[in-house]
Amino acid sequence: MIAVSSSAVSQPASVTASPLYKQSSVSVERRVADLLARMTTEEKIAELHRGIRPLASGSRKSDSRLGIPTLFHESGTPKGGATPFPQGIALAASWDPAGVRDVHAAIARQARTRGATVVSAPSLDVVRDPRRGRIEQTFGEDAFLVTEMGIAALEGLQGMGSVLNADKVIAAAGHFAGHGVPMQGEAISPAPLSRRELRDFFFPPFEQAVQRGGLSIITASRSEIDAVPSHADAWLLRGILRDEWKYNGLVMAAPGGVADLQAPYGVAADPTSAARLAFNAGVDASEGFSALKAGDVDAARLDAAVARVLTLKFKAGLFDKPALRSKAVALDDTVALKAAQRAIVLLKNDGVLPLAQGRVAIVTADRGLAAALRTGARGRVEVTAATKLADAAAQATHIVLVLGDATAKDLDAAMDAAAARGKPIVVVLTGSRPMATVKMASQASAIVGAWSLGAQGGKAIADALLGDINPGGKLPVSIARSDGQLPTYHDWKPSARRGYLFDSTEPLFAFGWGFSYSTFEVSAPRLSAKSMATDGSVEVSVDVRNNGRRAGDEVVQLYVRDTLSTVTRPVQMLRGFERVTLAPGEQRTVRFTLPARSLALWNEQMQRVVEPGEFEVLAGANSLQLQSATLTVLGKP
């Protein structure tokens, strides 16, 4: 943080020497200090609400007296000529951090070409309830998976060095914190979470992004925790971020986040009160700060916030080279197609896929998908298309039923109508959120999960149906068997999920679930040592073999279970994964390093500790079918 005395910056300095802030050879810290000394209080406040703006907000010309450039930002899924890439939930289904990195590198290139220097991504929200709005933007239900995908996204957006290259952007990750479980799925609502839950499940992706990912901007959530809206929560924004994690980046308000403090939250009487409350709690930049006046803010706190904004502008090179803007944005269809292909999840297959013969009737309103299937199937399978099941060719031997977002009742009605035809049914799920029904799982011969795949989704789905690619994705969320199971997730507590009426306690499709056109065998885990110290680590080896007749991908998943602890722990916790490609008959050993710190818990005194005792180390191809080995963590002599 840059320290500047408040007395030195209350008025613009009358300095005749050449301004240091215009000299690129001078350190960023000195340039920021020099510029702060030349700014009035009013100019500093303006910097917090006009100095960083959405790309679509208007003029590109700076109206700053000192020529301070604007830091423009846009969504992580840019529209208007840029490539619509697979959404977060699809990327998470790939279990492929390298692919996530490639997609976000392409997003960065396109955003920078369009004139944006900040991209509002990735979402580091851990979504624990499928009813959560915009679940498609998230990386799923597990904190470890979200963390690893989030770090990969940051590397793609920002690069891995300390300098922001011309084809990279500054990432603005959201939404801090607890944004994945708001009541009724609404973003602006209570998130009924305890502080231990926050630390166990919702803080880790943000903490790791700060410590490992070089995160420079964090966006506050619009939810409330324990009756305190996040935009007014000093414990979150100052106590956790600044004091505990030593975060020195920018805290940015979500659009409308400061106004929320008036309504619906009712903790501020007017725009000025709302802005003052958010600013004092730790928000650094917001369009809502236009209501602030000089007497509303502490001078030292104002300097610190402005210094963070200016630091980002200097590091992005905006003072030295104006941001480019081009109407011609180079598309990245190859990257988008590969990501979409790797995101496809084969939930069920009784042998009907891949489509190899017969006459197929595809029922879909997506003309692009229908055309892709017809083109790909030419010379192999006869394909007819219809927008309604009633119009499907009567002579078809198979029905491909494409279903988007709908209620369970509507999905079941579609299944009943298709089943009445008496032909094998292949269901392709293309909505924004992973969902399925018991009837669907029973009546369909095959189910393909293809959620939020982006512009190349039709081609990717056609490739999977015809066997031109071998699906290898896995579910990043659990799919409930019934509404009574909601919310459902794999790392539940032992006291939960003991039965709902007379139904099964298992989800319809478990976290990490997914097949391919090959068959794989995953061995029990082997440990390099049977015990380790509370500050040690062990290597876990898992063999995976392709017993099928074609090359394919398997995702080896590593979980741990704490068998005895001072506070309750989940039945299992994901601690590693790797997607591997194997030729027919090929076997490979996947190795994971399991550090003792990954077994830590928050004890009764809210201290993060590694407790001695026995742990089960589990490995498999999904969260249900696991084999185990026992690891002992030794206490101090």
Side-chain angles (χ1 to χ4, degrees):
M1 183 180 296
I2 300 168
V4 182
S5 67
S6 58
S7 61
V9 297
S10 58
Q11 296 294 330
S14 56
V15 180
T16 58
S18 176
L20 289 178
Y21 72 88
K22 294 184 178 180
Q23 301 177 28
S24 60
S25 60
V26 177
S27 71
V28 169
E29 289 76 14
R30 290 187 65 193
R31 296 176 81 183
V32 169
D34 178 68
L35 185 51
L36 272 173
R38 299 170 187 274
M39 297 173 70
T40 66
T41 300
E42 290 74 17
E43 288 172 330
K44 293 175 184 178
I45 293 174
E47 186 66 17
L48 300 185
H49 67 86
R50 297 190 63 185
I52 176 167
R53 287 185 286 170
L55 184 63
S57 62
S59 173
R60 301 277 300 161
K61 295 181 179 180
S62 171
D63 56 4
S64 165
R65 175 180 63 90
L66 297 167
I68 302 174
T70 300
L71 193 63
F72 287 105
H73 62 88
E74 71 174 0
S75 167
T77 52
K79 305 295 191 298
T83 305
F85 291 100
Q87 293 273 336
I89 201 69
L91 296 176
S94 74
W95 291 61
D96 179 17
V100 173
R101 191 179 303 115
D102 290 344
V103 166
H104 284 81
I107 290 173
R109 288 193 298 270
Q110 294 188 8
R112 201 67 188 262
T113 300
R114 289 159 57 85
T117 312
V118 174
V119 163
S120 299
S123 167
L124 298 179
D125 302 332
V126 177
V127 60
R128 309 290 277 181
D129 192 322
R131 295 166 293 189
R132 191 265 201 198
R134 298 185 180 178
I135 186 177
E136 71 276 5
Q137 296 178 355
T138 75
F139 290 131
E141 72 179 39
D142 182 86
F144 185 87
L145 181 62
V146 172
T147 297
E148 296 309 306
M149 294 304 193
I151 295 295
L154 289 173
E155 291 172 350
L157 291 168
Q158 300 183 156
M160 302 175 69
S162 58
V163 177
L164 191 71
N165 293 331
D167 62 344
K168 296 298 180 182
V169 294
I170 300 166
H175 305 85
F176 192 69
H179 202 54
V181 289
M183 294 177 65
Q184 300 177 327
E186 298 288 343
I188 309 171
S189 67
L193 298 167
S194 69
R195 292 193 171 186
R196 183 174 279 104
E197 284 181 286
L198 286 168
R199 291 184 178 277
D200 277 341
F201 301 112
F202 299 93
F203 283 178
F206 289 95
E207 184 178 13
Q208 291 299 305
V210 169
Q211 296 177 356
R212 291 168 50 199
L215 183 60
S216 298
I217 301 178
I218 290 178
T219 303
S221 79
R222 297 181 73 178
S223 54
E224 65 171 85
I225 297 172
D226 198 18
V228 181
S230 293
H231 281 73
D233 196 334
W235 174 74
L236 274 179
L237 305 183
R238 294 208 313 262
I240 298 298
L241 284 180
R242 304 290 183 199
D243 300 339
E244 192 170 319
W245 297 351
K246 309 305 178 186
Y247 173 67
N248 59 10
L250 187 77
V251 175
M252 191 163 67
V258 172
D260 291 343
L261 301 181
Q262 289 180 257
Y265 289 126
V267 295
D270 50 57
T272 300
S273 300
R276 188 187 305 118
L277 182 59
F279 184 75
N280 291 336
V283 175
D284 293 315
S286 170
E287 79 282 359
F289 287 172
S290 60
L292 291 176
K293 304 297 183 219
D296 296 322
V297 294
D298 173 76
R301 164 77 179 104
L302 178 61
D303 285 350
V306 175
R308 293 182 186 116
V309 175
L310 296 178
T311 296
L312 293 177
K313 293 182 177 183
F314 279 116
K315 288 187 174 181
L318 297 184
F319 283 86
D320 309 315
K321 187 177 181 180
L324 299 176
R325 189 178 189 184
S326 172
K327 293 183 179 179
V329 178
L331 303 183
D332 289 279
D333 291 340
T334 300
V335 175
L337 176 59
K338 182 180 179 181
Q341 290 171 334
R342 292 178 72 79
I344 291 175
V345 183
L346 184 60
L347 295 173
K348 178 184 178 181
N349 185 24
D350 66 3
V352 69
L353 292 179
L355 299 169
Q357 58 184 358
R359 297 183 297 274
V360 175
I362 181 170
V363 182
T364 178
D366 186 341
R367 294 182 180 179
L369 169 55
L373 186 60
R374 277 197 300 264
T375 300
R378 190 170 296 136
R380 295 184 286 176
V381 179
E382 181 182 334
V383 176
T384 60
T387 58
K388 298 179 181 180
L389 182 63
D391 298 329
Q395 65 272 27
T397 58
H398 299 75
I399 295 174
V400 174
L401 186 61
V402 182
L403 300 173
D405 289 326
T407 65
K409 181 179 179 180
D410 288 341
L411 292 176
D412 282 347
M415 288 304 306
D416 283 336
R421 294 290 186 102
K423 298 169 183 178
I425 304 168
V426 176
V427 173
V428 179
L429 299 169
T430 61
S432 60
R433 61 190 61 239
M435 66 175 297
T437 69
V438 172
K439 178 169 287 189
M440 182 187 298
S442 172
Q443 293 180 340
S445 297
I447 303 175
V448 176
W451 302 283
S452 300
L453 295 185
Q456 294 297 314
K459 175 69 165 61
I461 293 167
D463 289 344
L465 294 177
L466 296 168
D468 294 335
I469 63 164
N470 194 353
K474 302 279 186 171
L475 282 178
V477 294
S478 305
I479 296 181
R481 186 174 296 274
S482 67
D483 290 346
Q485 287 186 333
L486 296 176
T488 184
Y489 34 85
H490 79 96
D491 47 353
W492 42 277
K493 291 293 189 71
S495 60
R497 203 179 291 182
R498 290 179 293 173
Y500 174 71
L501 296 180
F502 305 105
D503 203 355
S504 169
T505 60
E506 291 186 359
L508 183 60
F509 295 109
F511 175 80
W513 188 269
F515 296 110
S516 82
Y517 299 145
S518 301
T519 56
F520 295 91
E521 180 181 350
V522 179
S523 75
R526 302 187 303 278
L527 308 180
S528 60
K530 293 183 179 180
S531 63
M532 67 174 172
T534 54
D535 58 354
S537 65
V538 297
E539 185 179 84
V540 183
S541 300
V542 183
D543 297 330
V544 55
R545 179 181 178 83
N546 183 352
N547 292 327
R549 296 182 178 181
R550 61 180 294 172
D553 290 5
E554 182 59 285
V555 179
V556 180
Q557 302 167 35
L558 182 73
Y559 298 83
V560 296
R561 177 182 296 132
D562 193 344
T563 60
L564 183 65
S565 53
T566 56
V567 295
T568 62
R569 303 293 284 147
V571 295
Q572 60 190 25
M573 298 168 282
L574 181 68
R575 287 298 179 263
F577 63 88
E578 185 171 339
R579 180 168 177 162
V580 294
T581 302
L582 299 174
E586 182 182 0
Q587 178 172 307
R588 189 179 306 173
T589 300
V590 178
R591 293 180 172 85
F592 302 96
T593 297
L594 185 66
R597 65 177 179 274
S598 70
L599 309 177
L601 56 76
W602 292 91
N603 65 15
E604 292 180 274
Q605 290 74 43
M606 290 303 290
Q607 300 167 326
R608 184 155 48 185
V609 298
V610 178
E611 294 185 340
E614 285 193 352
F615 292 79
E616 286 187 70
V617 179
L618 309 111
N622 58 71
S623 63
L624 281 183
Q625 299 166 335
L626 300 168
Q627 300 182 71
S628 69
T630 300
L631 172 66
T632 301
V633 175
L634 303 174
K636 294 181 179 180

